[in-house]
Amino acid sequence: MPGRPFSLEEHWERLHRWGAYALLVFSAAISVAVAPAFSLTRDEIYASGVLTLAALFLQVWWGRTRPHQTKYGVPGQVYFWIRTALAFALTWLNPLYAVYATLGYFDSASYLPKRAARLGVVCSAVTVAGSQAGGLPPRGALGWTLFGGILAIHVSLVLLFSHLGVKEEERVRERAATIKELESTNARLEQALEENAGLHSQLLVQAREAGVADERRRLAAEIHDTIAQGLAGIIAQLQVVAGTSDSDLARQHLDRASTLARHSLGEARRSVQNLSPAELDNDALPAALRKTVAGWSERSGVRAQFTVTGTQEQLHDEVAATLLRIAQEALANVAKHASPERVGVTLSYMGDEVSLDVRDDGRGFDPLRLPSRSGTGGFGLDGMRARAARIAGAVTVESEEGQGTAVSARVPLVRHG
């Protein structure tokens, strides 16, 4: 079963722990192997051995001390500078020990503060450049020139890569901060989504309740504007029949009562199915209002006139149905309360609005003392206002006792289709 891959931090940890051992052993091995080529004296060989053992003991001591030290601690700085000095001395004796000196390139930033780390890198570069220039110390002008050029190259490259490393470290920190911020944002979004889900559930419940209440109000208004008025008309016709001995007149009013009953039954079905009024099935609003006014005048015995002004438009079904129902309710209120001699109904097309005005010369009333609902339990003016409000319209009433009443409904002109 394959093991877990090492992270970048774990690779650096292994380098800091075992890299110095590996490079020290490798440098010592190749130095011994090619020692005759450098014509080292016996004292130089012994000195190299002693310094190699010293470097080994230093590394053992640091391996035990390092786990308990903080970054840039004094023991770490002491370890780095002693190791750098040993590497320089070993390279002075044998140029191949410069392999061991390259450690300074990799871990100076781990043990030294920023400025000291640059100095540590330059010291390591001096050791490596001296080795590549033919050994330390350089010999002659050519040796010093070669040493200076190689050192300049090493320092330039080290500083360049150090700068790039710093930028990369900053980028990694910024990316880590961005990831942390994204995680925080995701957590907040998840919390917001949970809250929104709860609010959505509450809104669904409220919308369902509001829909039920609105449907109840619609049905109540439809019953009031159609069935209740139809029943009132039937009762009025039957009262005439009960109070007359003229069989022809009785027959005439019975026929009217039968017609009203059939019409009311049809309107009840249409109300339940939320269909438009039967008067609008075959006629546009002006024609339907004209017939409605004429029928009301015939039943009530009050002279009524219907007028259309402006350029007629084919209205949206909901707009037409609303204005027709408001006209029917207004006429029913006139017959019930006003006792007028004349009634005028005007439908006006006014650009982006449609106005319906119902005026009578009846007894009138004080609008400020008008109850929100009529004494008979009907919806009255409140019902008309509610109907107009559903399509962004409004109903106003002007009246004075003994001076008649004017009901005006203004709604947006929304064309059919």
Side-chain angles (χ1 to χ4, degrees):
M1 182 177 179
R4 180 180 62 86
F6 289 104
S7 65
L8 181 61
E9 291 78 7
E10 290 173 328
H11 281 298
W12 277 111
E13 176 62 26
R14 297 178 74 184
L15 175 64
H16 290 319
R17 184 174 181 182
W18 304 110
Y21 287 109
L23 293 180
L24 180 61
V25 171
F26 179 75
S27 297
I30 60 173
S31 296
V32 171
V34 299
F38 291 99
S39 302
L40 297 180
T41 65
R42 181 175 297 180
D43 292 339
E44 290 175 335
I45 294 174
Y46 287 156
S48 297
V50 171
L51 293 176
T52 300
L53 289 175
L56 181 62
F57 284 126
L58 174 67
Q59 200 61 42
V60 172
W61 168 80
W62 180 241
R64 295 180 178 180
T65 306
R66 181 173 173 273
H68 310 289
Q69 300 302 314
T70 59
K71 191 174 184 179
Y72 305 149
V74 174
Q77 297 185 45
V78 170
Y79 158 75
F80 179 85
W81 289 118
I82 293 177
R83 192 191 68 191
T84 301
L86 289 173
F88 178 80
L90 286 168
T91 305
W92 185 286
L93 296 173
N94 189 329
L96 295 179
Y97 272 98
V99 175
Y100 177 58
T102 58
L103 276 173
Y105 289 157
F106 301 103
D107 59 8
S108 60
S110 300
Y111 299 122
L112 305 177
K114 189 173 183 180
R115 292 184 178 179
R118 291 179 179 175
L119 179 59
V121 167
V122 171
C123 291
S124 299
V126 168
T127 303
V128 176
S131 171
Q132 293 176 342
L136 292 171
R139 294 173 179 83
L142 180 60
W144 280 103
T145 302
L146 181 61
F147 169 75
I150 295 175
L151 179 61
I153 294 174
H154 273 268
V155 171
S156 300
L157 290 175
V158 167
L159 292 179
L160 173 62
F161 286 120
S162 176
H163 176 72
L164 294 177
V166 170
K167 292 297 182 182
E168 178 64 18
E169 185 177 354
E170 292 177 355
R171 189 181 68 84
V172 169
R173 282 200 299 267
E174 291 176 357
R175 184 171 61 184
T178 302
I179 292 174
K180 185 177 181 180
E181 180 63 24
L182 287 174
E183 290 175 349
S184 176
T185 302
N186 287 336
R188 292 196 297 269
L189 285 175
E190 289 178 359
Q191 182 180 0
L193 287 174
E194 292 177 359
E195 294 175 355
N196 287 341
L199 291 174
H200 182 66
S201 300
Q202 294 178 9
L203 289 175
L204 285 178
V205 173
Q206 293 174 0
R208 191 178 299 113
E209 293 175 351
V212 171
D214 185 69
E215 183 65 12
R216 287 175 177 172
R217 287 192 295 269
R218 184 190 68 80
L219 285 173
E222 290 291 336
I223 291 172
H224 172 265
D225 293 346
T226 58
I227 301 174
Q229 293 179 14
L231 292 176
I234 292 171
I235 292 172
Q237 300 302 320
L238 293 179
Q239 286 175 344
V240 173
V241 173
T244 184
S245 58
D246 186 341
S247 60
D248 291 336
L249 182 60
R251 171 59 60 185
Q252 181 181 355
H253 284 280
L254 283 173
D255 290 341
R256 290 180 181 176
S258 177
T259 300
L260 284 172
R262 285 193 295 270
H263 182 268
S264 298
L265 178 60
E267 288 298 328
R269 291 170 177 168
R270 303 178 74 85
S271 297
V272 172
Q273 298 174 7
N274 195 18
L275 300 177
S276 60
E279 292 86 347
L280 296 172
D281 282 348
N282 300 313
D283 294 318
L285 179 62
L289 281 174
R290 192 180 305 278
K291 292 180 181 179
T292 297
V293 172
W296 177 87
S297 177
E298 182 181 356
R299 292 192 302 272
S300 64
V302 178
R303 185 164 52 126
Q305 182 179 4
F306 174 70
T307 306
V308 180
T309 65
T311 303
Q312 296 186 26
E313 300 272 4
Q314 185 70 19
L315 299 178
H316 188 279
D317 294 345
E318 186 68 20
V319 175
T322 297
L323 291 175
L324 179 61
R325 291 303 192 203
I326 290 175
Q328 291 172 337
E329 172 64 16
L331 290 172
N333 288 342
V334 170
K336 187 183 299 183
H337 305 293
S339 300
E341 293 183 1
R342 291 180 302 171
V343 173
V345 179
T346 304
L347 178 65
S348 303
Y349 294 87
M350 302 180 297
D352 58 351
E353 281 189 335
V354 185
S355 174
L356 174 70
D357 299 287
V358 180
R359 301 176 182 271
D360 67 76
D361 59 356
R363 60 169 61 101
F365 62 92
D366 184 359
L368 297 178
R369 292 188 296 176
L370 183 69
S372 61
R373 292 173 183 259
S374 65
T376 60
F379 280 72
L381 293 173
D382 284 347
M384 288 188 279
R385 290 190 177 105
R387 283 188 178 276
R390 277 200 290 269
I391 57 172
V395 171
T396 58
V397 178
E398 296 179 1
S399 184
E400 186 177 348
E401 293 184 0
Q403 300 297 321
T405 302
V407 176
S408 177
R410 299 170 70 94
V411 298
L413 193 157
V414 182
R415 293 174 177 81
H416 180 75

